[in-house]
Amino acid sequence: MGTKKSVSVLGLGRMGSALACALVKKGYDVTVWNRSADKPTPAGTTRVRTTEEAFEADVVVTCLTSYAVQQPLLSKNIRTLVNLTSGTPEEARATARWASDNGVEYVDGVIMAVPQQIGTPGARIFFSGNEEHHVLDAFGEPVHVGADAGLAALYDLGLLGVMWSTFAGYLQALALTGAEGVTPEQFTPMVADWLRELAGMLPEMGEETRHRSYETEVSALDINVAGLRMLTEANREQGLDTALPQALHDLYRRAQEQGHGTHSIASVIEVIR
Ligand SMILES: NC(=O)c1ccc[n+]([C@@H]2O[C@H](COP(=O)([O-])OP(=O)(O)OC[C@H]3O[C@@H](n4cnc5c(N)ncnc54)[C@H](OP(=O)(O)O)[C@@H]3O)[C@@H](O)[C@H]2O)c1
């Protein structure tokens, strides 16, 4: 086996530290840089004080809070940039253009895992643009999602949007049922079953949105708007925050007002679009 590439990691937060450790485990020569001195140096890595020293490596992996934080740190002295900082598709594309203008080879990736999963096969790393993934396989399973550099960020935010709205719905339901003495242990298994059932409905819903055809024999929007009114009221009766059920009610209601009352829930996308 030839000599492994040298890799620098910029950012020793929760995720950056996990990435550095995974690279060490795979036998890379790993250099790390972090703005603040207080973060511990991962075992087996070499800490440098300046980003310029970090840029001497073959590959530079960035994992910082945001693109706003990252952009001023970048330099055309980087040879290959593997960007794992989360951002919007437009931020990713702008960084890809910057890299191309400055002769920097660029990989845009997003991490669909938590730090504890890094280095295990379950950690999926979506990447887009350049098909060469360089060191990404040290972190888990690299999945190329397309030639446009913005696509990894697009998939990331799409999936996180589903996660955030699902978690918020679950927490609202825990608060509502908990106000009447139902414990999370009693309620959560029902939620898990329910989510599995709902997941089975998604492919058909997706097709409805693609064809913009919302005829239904199952459940009309009218009845769901009435249900959302009840849900909002039940939360109010318990003195709970009603921002989430009220927002859902208002969104579905707008679709109803646009003439989708007898259509399926999928018709709500017409308002969102
Ligand atoms: N944690 C997760 O589960 C997870 C999962 C998927 C993706 N990600 C992504 O991974 C990235 C890092 O997340 P994290 O969880 O590691 O965050 P974190 O623990 O809060 O670490 C943030 C890192 O950014 C650095 N930073 C912040 N502001 C800076 C500035 N102005 N200049 C230079 N460095 C700055 C911090 O340095 P200091 O130590 O100096 O503050 C630290 O190294 C984010 O884009 C996040 O969306 C995280």
Side-chain angles (χ1 to χ4, degrees), residues 10-19 33-39 47 62-70 72-73 83-87 110-118 156 160:
L10 260 56
L12 289 177
R14 290 167 193 84
M15 188 53 88
S17 299
L19 299 178
W33 174 89
N34 195 63
R35 172 186 59 170
S36 319
D38 60 344
K39 296 275 193 312
R47 184 88 166 237
T62 50
C63 191
L64 301 155
T65 310
S66 65
Y67 277 72
V69 159
Q70 172 170 295
L73 299 175
N83 172 26
L84 294 177
T85 296
S86 303
V110 296
I111 302 167
M112 304 304 300
V114 295
Q116 292 70 16
Q117 292 173 297
I118 294 299
D156 183 40
L160 288 172

